[in-house]
């Protein structure tokens, strides 16, 4: 099938209004209490496995869980090949316009790929039952797939910028990010870092980027977990906890990121997909395409 993304629409107005409120709720246990109340009004499923329970326990306790092999190295290569040919942009420097990855301007650290949903396999990955189960356990209701993104982290920059510095994400009242490496990630290619337990601790709650030394003083250096590994390595993380993608040194890194959320976030990717004659709309509540 030949999908092309037709347009992206903004999240509904109430999502923006709720964002202003949730951003002010800083303490993790209060955020969870509010999310627990909301989740009582949202649908649940019957999906329950022992594997899901184990992954969820780890996620709850330390803030992330490594996922079992969802995609093979061969599949990671195939996805990388498809994504390599797609148009990129720098989300932090929109004035640079659009470019192919091999012609990326020198100042680009993050080359995000446009229209990743032209690859239907990415939606299947986002819908894999074990990830959905882990999210459901964490939220207390079925997750929505809020967005699917992929980007290259490009080497050759001295100074960290934006999400290359430690920060807490503020995407919604309760959300998780599923990170999947599509290239091998070593010390050279900007491994992702997470500070264990920081998703639960009411410390360092200002919305800003932090220096490593500040976060080390708050949580201890021994809590820093660095994710290096082969292509296909994937983990689900509560990125309200401190994290960053270290700047790539000499090799580029290709990362796939799926955001699951309790409710739509302001970053909601509302995907209208045109399949030539038929207009198919992606329904965030059922995680399915609706055929009109
Ligand atoms: O590039 C990374 O590893 C982390 C990016 C990040 O901060 C995020 O996706 O929220
Ligand atoms: Fe982040």
């Amino acid at each position: 099938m030949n999908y092309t993304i037709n347009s992206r629409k903004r999240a509904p107005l109430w999502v923006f209004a709720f964002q202003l409120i949730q951003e002010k709720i800083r303490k993790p246990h209060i955020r969870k209490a509010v999310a627990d109340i909301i989740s009582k009004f949202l649908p649940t499923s019957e999906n329950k496995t022992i594997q899901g329970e184990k992954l969820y326990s780890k996620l709850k306790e330390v803030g992330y869980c490594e996922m079992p092999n969802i995609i093979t190295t061969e599949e990671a290569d195939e996805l990388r090949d498809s994504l390599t040919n797609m148009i990129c942009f720098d989300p932090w420097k929109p004035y640079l316009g659009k470019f192919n990855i091999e012609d990326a301007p020198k100042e680009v650290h993050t080359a995000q790929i446009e229209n990743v949903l032209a690859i239907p396999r990415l939606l299947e990955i986002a819908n894999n039952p074990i990830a959905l189960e882990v999210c459901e356990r964490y939220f207390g209701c079925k997750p929505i797939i809020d967005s699917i993104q992929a980007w290259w982290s490009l080497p050759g920059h001295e100074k960290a910028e934006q999400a290359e510095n430690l920060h807490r994400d503020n995407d919604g009242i309760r959300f998780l990010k599923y990170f999947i490496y599509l290239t091998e990630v070593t010390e050279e290619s900007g491994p992702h870092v997470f500070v264990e337990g920081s998703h639960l601790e009411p410390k360092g709650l200002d919305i800003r980027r932090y220096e490593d030394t500040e976060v080390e003083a708050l949580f201890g250096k021994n809590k820093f977990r660095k994710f290096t590994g082969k292509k296909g390595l994937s983990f689900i993380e509560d990125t309200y906890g401190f994290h960053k993608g270290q700047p790539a040194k000499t090799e580029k890194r290709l990362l796939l990121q799926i955001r699951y959320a309790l409710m739509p976030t302001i970053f909601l990717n509302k995907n209208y997909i045109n399949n030539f004659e038929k207009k198919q709309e992606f329904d965030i509540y059922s995680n399915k395409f609706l055929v009109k």
Side-chain angles (χ1 to χ4, degrees), residues 18-19 22-23 25 27-39 42 56 59-61 63 134-144 146 169-177 199-200 237-241 259-265:
F18 185 69
Q19 174 75 0
Q22 74 81 9
E23 272 180 0
I25 308 172
K27 295 213 167 86
H29 69 280
I30 300 182
R31 293 173 64 81
K32 177 164 188 306
V34 173
D36 282 348
I37 294 169
I38 297 169
S39 74
L42 296 169
Y56 161 68
L59 170 65
K60 197 166 71 160
E61 194 191 324
V134 170
C135 295
E136 176 162 354
R137 286 177 182 270
Y138 204 72
F139 299 154
C141 63
K142 285 211 276 195
I144 62 154
D146 193 61
D169 287 344
N170 264 281
D171 302 8
I173 187 74
R174 202 150 172 85
F175 59 94
L176 289 165
K177 285 185 174 173
H199 63 308
L200 299 173
E237 197 175 280
D238 179 348
T239 56
Y240 190 72
R259 177 174 33 234
Y260 299 99
L262 177 74
M263 296 190 297
T265 79

Side-chain angles (χ1 to χ4, degrees), residues 163 167-169 177 209 239 243:
H167 63 281
R168 292 180 183 273
D169 287 344
K177 285 185 174 173
R209 311 293 186 192
T239 56
H243 65 286

